[in-house]
Amino acid sequence: DAKTTQPPSMDCAEGRAANLPCNHSTISGNEYVYWYRQIHSQGPQYIIHGLKNNETNEMASLIITEDRKSSTLILPHATLRDTAVYYCIVRSLGNKLVFGAGTILRVKS
Amino acid sequence: EAGVTQSPTHLIKTRGQQATLRCSPISGHTSVYWYQQALGLGLQFLLWYDEGEERNRGNFPPRFSGRQFPNYSSELNVNALELEDSALYLCASSLGRKYTFGSGTRLTVV
């Protein structure tokens, strides 16, 4: 299973962009990168996923480097409700999502 | 559309008993995944079911088992409960590449 490395925590000012980095240097060519977040022991919430190209949806943007060894999740205008644990995941063989420790994002007013 | 539903929300069992947790996937989703999240720890993959068959299993003892029914709903059974089985058990379903999680069952073993 490809491993991901994320900073344990980050702070962001309300209204500013939150940029969450993820390293996945052992990713293989056909493995997707997923981002989920979890707010206080609720079920993880899907944010976005991608393979090679940058992706954008109503929640966030995903920037994947050309060599695919790292990616950045961008929340364009963070709000207090975006405070959560953010997980960067590489979907491994067997369709399972392997969760790491994640990044605790604290959005402060 | 209705999301992934799990029942019960909370469950309290005594050590040595059996627990049964249930999951209803999103309509049309054929794959169901089970995860365990112990307090303060990350999500650990337990089981993947697709089209009624167990497709993949995480590093858990055999007393963790489950099944998927013809309507794609799923049960997770935990036998001979131990105190360390106390955790939030999460179910997810997928169709294609998007995985949707339920709110979980909080199992407490006393």
Side-chain angles (χ1 to χ4, degrees):
Chain A
D1 299 338
K3 296 278 191 264
T4 60
T5 303
Q6 299 177 252
S9 65
M10 294 181 63
D11 290 338
C12 177
E14 189 177 21
R16 303 297 294 268
N19 296 279
L20 290 87
C22 179
N23 180 286
H24 32 78
S25 57
T26 60
I27 195 170
S28 59
N30 58 353
E31 290 180 317
Y32 281 77
V33 178
Y34 286 76
W35 283 84
Y36 279 76
R37 71 182 182 184
Q38 189 175 28
I39 299 172
H40 192 53
S41 293
Q42 297 176 17
Q45 178 189 20
Y46 169 83
I47 301 173
I48 200 166
H49 75 279
L51 182 62
K52 295 181 182 179
N53 301 318
N54 298 337
E55 302 286 345
T56 295
N57 63 20
E58 65 279 3
M59 288 184 68
S61 294
L62 173 60
I63 309 298
I64 302 174
T65 58
E66 193 169 341
D67 63 7
R68 301 209 328 120
K69 293 184 176 182
S70 65
S71 62
T72 300
L73 177 74
I74 301 172
L75 306 178
H77 306 287
T79 71
L80 298 178
R81 286 181 292 182
D82 292 322
T83 293
V85 180
Y86 286 77
Y87 296 99
C88 169
I89 303 154
V90 173
R91 188 179 74 171
S92 70
L93 292 174
N95 255 21
K96 61 184 181 182
L97 299 179
V98 179
F99 286 76
T103 295
I104 299 172
L105 175 68
R106 299 185 188 90
V107 180
K108 300 184 175 181
S109 58
Chain B
E1 68 180 1
V4 177
T5 57
Q6 294 188 243
S7 62
T9 307
H10 294 84
L11 188 59
I12 299 176
K13 291 286 186 179
T14 303
R15 189 170 50 183
Q17 285 188 316
Q18 178 196 38
T20 298
L21 289 64
R22 297 179 176 82
C23 173
S24 293
I26 291 173
S27 178
H29 287 197
T30 61
S31 281
V32 170
Y33 308 81
W34 286 95
Y35 284 81
Q36 182 197 65
Q37 187 173 31
L39 189 62
L41 299 179
L43 283 82
Q44 302 295 318
F45 169 76
L46 261 167
L47 290 160
W48 168 33
Y49 290 95
D50 181 63
E51 297 285 357
E53 299 286 332
E54 181 180 303
R55 302 295 186 182
N56 201 352
R57 183 182 180 85
N59 188 25
F60 281 84
R63 58 190 186 82
F64 287 84
S65 65
R67 55 180 172 168
Q68 186 178 32
F69 299 98
N71 67 353
Y72 303 115
S73 66
S74 177
E75 270 184 4
L76 174 69
N77 295 294
V78 188
N79 293 321
L81 284 165
E82 301 178 0
L83 297 179
E84 306 79 65
D85 297 332
S86 293
L88 179 67
Y89 288 83
L90 291 156
C91 171
S93 71
S94 74
L95 182 64
R97 299 191 186 98
K98 184 177 175 181
Y99 301 71
T100 304
F101 283 81
S103 299
T105 293
R106 173 75 62 187
L107 173 64
T108 302
V109 183
V110 297

